[in-house]
Amino acid sequence: MQQPCWSICLLAIFMLGLDSKLVGEAFQPEFAEPLMNITVPIGRDATFRCLVQNLGGYRVGWVKADTKAIQAIHVHVITNNQRVHVSHNGQTVWNLHIRNVQEDDRGQYMCQINTDPMKSQMGYLDVVIPPDFVPEETSGDVMVPEGGTARVSCRARGMPEPRILWRREDGADIVIRDSNGAKTKVAVHEEQVLTLNKISRSDMGAYLCIASNGVPPSVSKRIMIKVHFHPVIQVPNQLVGAPLGTDVTLECYVESSPKSINYWVRDSNEMVISSSKYEVVNTVVSSFESRMALTVRGLTSSDVGGYRCVAKNSLGEVDSVIRLYEIPGPTIKNTSPANKREEYRFSTPIEGPDNQFGSADRSDDEDDFAYISDKPLNAYKSYDNGTRNRTIHYSTTKSLYEQKLSNKVRKIINKFEIGDTNFDANSYKLNSSFVILHIVIFINVLSTILDCT
């Protein structure tokens, strides 16, 4: 009964005596996943994570592969770099931290397990750098004569290599001219050097050099291209007329670079300055254009004459003359039919050479008074020794005479009151004073006849 027990003990001793190397190989540590590559902008933090299974009594180390510099072993930092430290989570997660990454931190990093043979895996740390201009290889503001060549350059560094784009600040197209004079207009020009051949004043302005490489932020530099030329004056109106007493404005448009000194001079060589009489205004239109305006208040005959607008810069001087003259002012007179009626109705005759009461001139209306019936008026009246005597015929025709006279006066008055717009005084050989004179004569005659009754 005791022999089987001894057999079991001997089997156990045999098993324990097996080669320890074979037993250790059955529980070797392994990496659970690859070490990932990392890309970070300069100045940021980077972390490598190494996952290990069955670490057991082995240790994990970190090495910068390209320089073979040991960074850390297990939980101890070996490098003198103060920005490097390690951390772990149990026996599985092992981390290498690099704070405030710099450009020299770029390279291969290795996670090792000190097995025999050693096990390792690598990841790459890429440090990207936003673009930055190289001052010594980037142009500043330039100044060229019109018709010359402007060449500006822009160089930037960064990781990856930045792209260079040129744009105009005002949004206008960039005009590229080749040696033959052919022009190409582009909104964006992509080169480190921008060359403007046979430059004109329209090319003048601010140009933006923009550098970008996908790493924010992009950067831009403003370069001013100035084109120099002598002044030029354009005058919209060289002859300006205005009525006396009114305000009148004279205008000149100036193009110049560098900026010109602008002023006004009269034909007497007297400079015109702002005062209660004159208002001088210079307005900037663009980088090389300006508007000169001179306002003359309350125009008088002494203001009439020539006015010179003058522009002067370091490259030359130019002027242009504007002639200011007087024009007759508008005569404001209302001749509408309604006002004519009012004038006839309410005006009174004025004595004078042309408006004498009792004039010897006779009109067709006066003849109506003289011939009321088939016989003339004086046939019905006789005067004896200064005494007025009436004939029998006068009394019999009195009512007919008064009726016709009343109708005649009423007809004339109604003619003006009904507002007949086709009525023309000349067609009746009457003017306003003449009509009024006839009405007065009619009334006087009527009064005389009534007095006789």
Side-chain angles (χ1 to χ4, degrees):
M1 295 296 297
Q2 293 180 352
Q3 188 173 0
C5 293
W6 282 105
S7 299
I8 293 173
C9 290
L10 290 174
L11 180 58
I13 293 171
F14 174 79
M15 294 295 294
L16 292 172
L18 293 174
D19 190 346
S20 60
K21 185 176 181 179
L22 294 175
V23 175
E25 287 179 356
F27 299 97
Q28 284 288 308
E30 299 289 343
F31 293 110
E33 62 180 32
L35 196 62
M36 303 299 294
N37 296 329
I38 301 174
T39 300
V40 295
I42 191 170
R44 300 289 182 89
D45 297 342
T47 299
F48 284 105
R49 187 176 71 166
C50 188
L51 296 182
V52 181
Q53 293 178 342
N54 304 322
L55 181 60
Y58 294 97
R59 294 174 178 271
V60 175
W62 293 94
V63 178
K64 193 169 188 297
D66 50 356
T67 62
K68 300 188 183 328
I70 301 174
Q71 304 295 302
I73 297 177
H74 216 52
V75 295
H76 303 290
V77 175
I78 305 300
T79 181
N80 291 326
N81 188 344
Q82 300 298 319
R83 296 180 291 106
V84 174
H85 70 281
V86 292
S87 67
H88 66 96
N89 184 5
Q91 295 292 304
T92 304
V93 181
W94 297 86
N95 300 315
L96 174 68
H97 305 279
I98 306 173
R99 295 191 300 268
N100 189 21
V101 170
Q102 300 301 309
E103 191 172 1
D104 56 6
D105 294 327
R106 183 186 295 111
Q108 295 277 0
Y109 286 81
M110 180 185 295
C111 175
Q112 296 179 343
I113 302 175
N114 63 338
T115 56
D116 186 16
M118 179 189 65
K119 294 182 178 181
S120 65
Q121 60 179 358
M122 286 191 296
Y124 187 81
L125 174 61
D126 189 14
V127 181
V128 293
I129 304 172
D132 188 23
F133 291 112
V134 181
E136 57 273 15
E137 298 184 45
T138 300
S139 302
D141 294 346
V142 297
M143 188 180 303
V144 293
E146 191 168 31
T149 299
R151 184 175 289 103
V152 287
S153 61
C154 205
R155 172 81 185 278
R157 57 187 164 216
M159 185 59 65
E161 185 74 16
R163 294 173 56 203
I164 303 297
L165 302 176
W166 292 92
R167 296 179 184 270
R168 287 195 61 160
E169 187 179 55
D170 58 7
D173 289 338
I174 299 175
V175 180
I176 306 297
R177 300 176 180 87
D178 59 21
S179 56
N180 298 325
K183 295 191 300 184
T184 303
K185 294 184 178 182
V186 294
V188 178
H189 180 68
E190 186 173 354
E191 275 187 23
Q192 287 190 353
V193 178
L194 173 64
T195 302
L196 301 176
N197 297 312
K198 299 180 181 179
I199 195 168
S200 73
R201 65 192 66 181
S202 60
D203 298 321
M204 185 189 315
Y207 289 75
L208 300 178
C209 168
I210 304 170
S212 60
N213 62 353
V215 181
S218 298
V219 292
S220 66
K221 180 175 176 60
R222 185 177 186 267
I223 298 176
M224 189 71 188
I225 298 180
K226 298 180 181 179
V227 180
H228 279 186
F229 55 92
H230 60 81
V232 176
I233 290 181
Q234 295 180 356
V235 180
N237 298 300
Q238 291 187 320
L239 285 175
V240 178
L244 295 182
T246 61
D247 295 349
V248 59
T249 299
L250 314 179
E251 286 183 316
C252 290
Y253 288 87
V254 180
E255 295 181 4
S256 63
S257 179
K259 189 176 180 181
S260 59
I261 298 172
N262 305 329
Y263 57 93
W264 292 87
V265 179
R266 291 207 59 176
D267 47 9
S268 61
N269 289 327
E270 175 188 359
M271 182 179 290
V272 180
I273 60 176
S274 291
S275 62
S276 58
K277 180 66 177 177
Y278 302 109
E279 181 183 7
V280 179
V281 177
N282 288 327
T283 306
V284 175
V285 178
S286 71
S287 59
F288 62 91
E289 296 174 293
S290 60
R291 173 182 177 267
M292 299 175 61
L294 170 62
T295 300
V296 182
R297 298 189 179 95
L299 183 68
T300 63
S301 57
S302 61
D303 298 324
V304 173
Y307 291 80
R308 284 192 302 130
C309 50
V310 184
K312 180 190 298 185
N313 69 2
S314 59
L315 300 179
E317 177 180 346
V318 68
D319 63 15
S320 187
V321 178
I322 300 176
R323 293 288 175 186
L324 178 59
Y325 64 93
E326 173 194 347
I327 60 176
T331 345
I332 301 174
K333 185 175 181 181
N334 193 340
T335 58
S336 64
N339 287 334
K340 285 184 178 179
R341 291 197 303 271
E342 293 298 320
E343 182 178 326
Y344 292 145
R345 290 180 62 185
F346 298 106
S347 61
T348 57
I350 301 175
E351 279 192 323
D354 297 330
N355 291 312
Q356 294 290 336
F357 294 133
S359 171
D361 295 336
R362 294 175 61 89
S363 69
D364 296 337
D365 296 320
E366 290 178 283
D367 293 339
D368 290 338
F369 282 96
Y371 296 91
I372 299 176
S373 64
D374 294 337
K375 296 182 180 181
L377 179 63
N378 54 14
Y380 298 91
K381 295 189 295 182
S382 64
Y383 295 89
D384 183 23
N385 298 325
T387 305
R388 187 183 308 170
N389 297 315
R390 294 192 298 273
T391 67
I392 187 169
H393 299 289
Y394 178 80
S395 59
T396 59
T397 59
K398 175 181 177 183
S399 59
L400 177 61
Y401 178 82
E402 290 178 347
Q403 180 180 358
K404 289 190 175 182
L405 179 62
S406 176
N407 290 339
K408 185 64 177 179
V409 173
R410 186 179 299 106
K411 179 180 178 182
I412 294 175
I413 294 175
N414 289 341
K415 191 68 175 180
F416 294 99
E417 290 182 342
I418 62 177
D420 184 0
T421 56
N422 296 323
F423 174 72
D424 185 356
N426 291 328
S427 64
Y428 291 94
K429 300 180 181 180
L430 298 175
N431 56 28
S432 60
S433 300
F434 210 60
V435 171
I436 296 171
L437 176 61
H438 289 167
I439 295 175
V440 172
I441 293 173
F442 299 157
I443 295 173
N444 289 337
V445 171
L446 178 62
S447 300
T448 304
I449 294 173
L450 294 178
D451 290 339
C452 293
T453 62

